[in-house]
Amino acid sequence: MTRSELIAAKLTSESTTVAVVPGGPVKGSIRPPGSKSLTNRALICAAFASGSSRLTGALRSEDTEVMIDSLRKIGIEIDESPDGKIIEIASPKLRVPTSDELVSLYIANSGTTIRFLTAALSAIGGNYRLHGVPRMHERPIGDLVAAIAPNLNGTISCESPGGCPPVLVRSKGWKGIEIEVAGAVSSQYLSGLMMAAPLCGKPTRIAVVGELVSRPYVEMTCRVIESFGAKTETVLKGLPAHQSIAFDISPAVDSEKIGYQGASYAIEPDASAASYFWAAAAITGGSVTVEGLTRDAMQGDVGFVDVLEQMGCTVEHHTSDTGGGITVHGGRLRGIDINMNAISDTVQTLAVVALFAEGTTRVRGVAHNRYKETDRIGDLARELSKLGAVVEEHEDGLSITPVGDHGHGATLQTYHDHRMAMSLSLAGLRIAGVRILNPACTVKTYPEYFSDLQTLIARPHHWESPGSLG
């Protein structure tokens, strides 16, 4: 069993609980680990590059480990430093499976891994079965498969109902120079196709049908692709009526399967992870600086500080001359009406901040959050209600109205969703007795989260074993 499979087994086992202990204003500074989104994008580009690459500031987590495991299985030579922050990728020696060979790739519950690899492997050719934990087999990938199928020299199919993994790929590469993909469920479908396009060895257009969610992640993809030598051009005019946007992608190297040039690439701290620490300042009236991120960061989730500013916080942006970073100073919080389509991974963080605001907070534009690691609208509403809030679900989001000054403690489910665990834990900064089940699920993207939070707030959490819960 691989390391990533052992991690996944841990997530489905009985777990301890953790409760963050209430206290005064949180003050301090912290540098979160590297961005998961950037690490997995850089791994894909470096794996199919001419020449070696060196990634610095990388994230070590379940999501990145399953990506690395899978790339190694197809012949990519990857070396990691002991802490996982430096990754060396050799010039690729691909092992494209023969017609009778099926490579099994285990991807746990990593959406980026299965979506990026499905696209890339279909482009280079070979026979693969990509599978994961039970929840992954409930997460839609049908729109990506439907986009690839008409342009594939071979076959691609989903094995679970509703267009969900496992995904079976039998390919001799792409045949088309234009691919259409629906954009309303996940921008990762588009990003995966964009990163796979240079592997065709010729210019390719990837066009979006209908609404595109989480566009900042697509802009991030463009910048990573260009860092490894490929070219991107955004097309907004002259498109058919059913297309909202398109991207013309050209390879860096005029050769099939090797579409990029090796590079040295520095990865920013994770902005989604940073949202928890900025939220800690907002919830407690404290002051927290996240180092290594600026308003010009590649990750759209730095925009979370602008949302906190609307709620009554003060935001201070530091220049590189003063060491960089973004500081949030807590203030008197008020409810807001906000469209969070562009920064949907921070919805759970905002929802917990809303528990301590005056008035109702309405979150809009995130219907696609129901198809993440868990239903991040319905399940989030259920857990917030346990704390005493009045929560109303909507098709595209939710409304949160606090009850009383402080709410009350409760034992909260995480649904094996790392973001549920990290965000809901913050309620404990103000409410006693908020116990988080299965805190180990943060290993998916941030294994050291509870340790880092404990260091920042300067007091220990309260841990309980399953047998002590009664």
Side-chain angles (χ1 to χ4, degrees):
M1 184 179 288
T2 66
R3 176 181 173 182
S4 55
E5 289 172 316
L6 287 170
I7 291 172
K10 181 179 180 182
L11 298 191
T12 58
S13 66
E14 192 173 39
S15 174
T16 58
T17 68
V18 62
V20 175
V21 177
V26 175
K27 297 181 179 180
S29 62
I30 190 167
R31 185 183 180 97
S35 163
K36 179 261 294 189
S37 298
L38 287 172
T39 300
N40 270 354
R41 281 167 172 77
L43 281 168
I44 285 286
C45 295
F48 304 108
S50 174
S52 60
S53 296
R54 188 173 194 263
L55 313 183
T56 57
L59 172 67
R60 170 172 281 174
S61 70
E62 182 193 20
D63 274 16
T64 57
E65 286 292 326
V66 294
M67 176 68 85
I68 290 170
D69 285 347
S70 295
L71 291 172
R72 283 173 172 157
K73 284 185 178 179
I74 64 169
I76 308 298
E77 296 180 10
I78 301 176
D79 290 323
E80 300 175 80
S81 63
D83 61 3
K85 293 182 180 180
I86 299 175
I87 303 176
E88 306 270 1
I89 303 97
S91 189
K93 299 176 183 177
L94 299 179
R95 185 175 65 87
V96 176
T98 66
S99 58
D100 296 326
E101 183 183 5
L102 186 69
V103 177
S104 176
L105 301 176
Y106 177 78
I107 44 72
N109 196 19
S110 175
T112 56
T113 301
I114 196 167
R115 292 158 184 171
F116 295 172
L117 281 178
T118 293
L121 297 178
S122 71
I124 68 170
N127 308 312
Y128 312 91
R129 183 176 184 267
L130 297 91
H131 63 104
V133 299
R135 174 59 184 169
M136 175 53 72
H137 298 169
E138 298 172 350
R139 297 178 66 182
I141 198 171
D143 285 342
L144 177 60
V145 170
I148 294 170
N151 298 279
L152 192 67
N153 288 310
T155 62
I156 182 170
S157 61
C158 299
E159 295 184 6
S160 296
C164 296
V167 179
L168 185 62
V169 179
R170 296 186 182 276
S171 171
K172 293 183 180 179
W174 288 0
K175 60 185 178 184
I177 59 172
E178 179 171 328
I179 294 177
E180 290 188 334
V181 61
V185 174
S186 175
S187 65
Q188 290 176 4
Y189 302 158
L190 173 60
S191 288
L193 292 169
M194 290 170 65
M195 288 186 288
L199 307 184
C200 297
K202 56 189 176 184
T204 304
R205 171 167 289 190
I206 311 296
V208 177
V209 176
E211 176 193 11
L212 174 59
V213 299
S214 304
R215 181 164 175 181
Y217 283 97
V218 179
E219 294 171 353
M220 176 198 301
T221 301
C222 289
R223 292 175 68 177
V224 176
I225 286 173
E226 291 168 352
S227 295
F228 287 85
K231 303 294 187 292
T232 71
E233 182 180 351
T234 303
V235 182
L236 295 171
K237 297 181 179 179
L239 298 171
H242 67 288
Q243 295 179 3
S244 60
I245 191 171
F247 298 87
D248 290 339
I249 314 292
S250 300
V253 181
D254 188 18
S255 171
E256 291 186 8
K257 303 179 179 63
I258 307 296
Y260 295 98
Q261 293 174 341
S264 294
Y265 189 80
I267 294 166
E268 297 173 348
D270 195 293
S272 303
S275 74
Y276 309 119
F277 304 116
W278 288 320
I283 289 168
T284 65
S287 179
V288 174
T289 300
V290 173
E291 303 167 357
L293 290 172
T294 69
R295 66 166 77 245
D296 298 322
M298 291 177 63
Q299 302 163 79
D301 281 357
V302 294
F304 183 72
V305 299
D306 300 326
V307 179
L308 293 180
E309 193 167 43
Q310 291 183 50
M311 298 184 77
C313 296
T314 301
V315 179
E316 184 180 358
H317 295 273
H318 307 284
T319 66
S320 56
D321 294 339
T322 59
I326 302 175
T327 301
V328 168
H329 304 280
R332 186 172 181 176
L333 298 173
R334 55 183 175 269
I336 58 173
D337 191 318
I338 183 79
N339 188 312
M340 297 190 71
N341 183 279
I343 55 171
S344 57
D345 276 348
T346 64
V347 167
Q348 290 139 296
T349 320
L350 177 67
V352 176
V353 176
L355 294 174
F356 307 99
E358 296 179 0
T360 298
T361 295
R362 170 72 161 96
V363 176
R364 303 178 187 272
V366 294
H368 59 288
N369 270 20
R370 293 190 184 275
Y371 307 104
K372 300 282 189 174
E373 284 81 345
T374 191
D375 178 350
R376 289 182 176 173
I377 296 176
D379 293 338
L380 176 60
R382 184 178 303 110
E383 299 311 307
L384 293 175
S385 297
K386 293 178 182 178
L387 298 173
V390 175
V391 185
E392 182 181 359
E393 284 189 57
H394 308 286
E395 183 179 350
D396 73 331
L398 68 168
S399 298
I400 304 151
T401 305
V403 175
D405 294 331
H406 303 294
H408 53 75
T411 298
L412 304 181
Q413 295 280 350
T414 56
Y415 307 90
H416 300 297
D417 182 348
H418 55 130
R419 300 208 185 282
M420 291 289 279
M422 291 186 280
S423 59
L424 291 173
S425 71
L426 298 173
L429 294 170
R430 290 271 298 273
I431 303 172
V434 178
R435 297 188 297 192
I436 304 301
L437 288 165
N438 190 22
C441 67
T442 64
V443 73
K444 187 175 190 295
T445 57
Y446 197 165
E448 299 84 17
Y449 169 73
F450 283 105
S451 175
D452 285 356
L453 179 62
Q454 181 170 288
T455 299
L456 179 66
I457 68 176
R459 57 184 180 272
H461 308 317
H462 180 63
W463 297 84
E464 292 182 323
S465 65
S468 68
L469 297 180

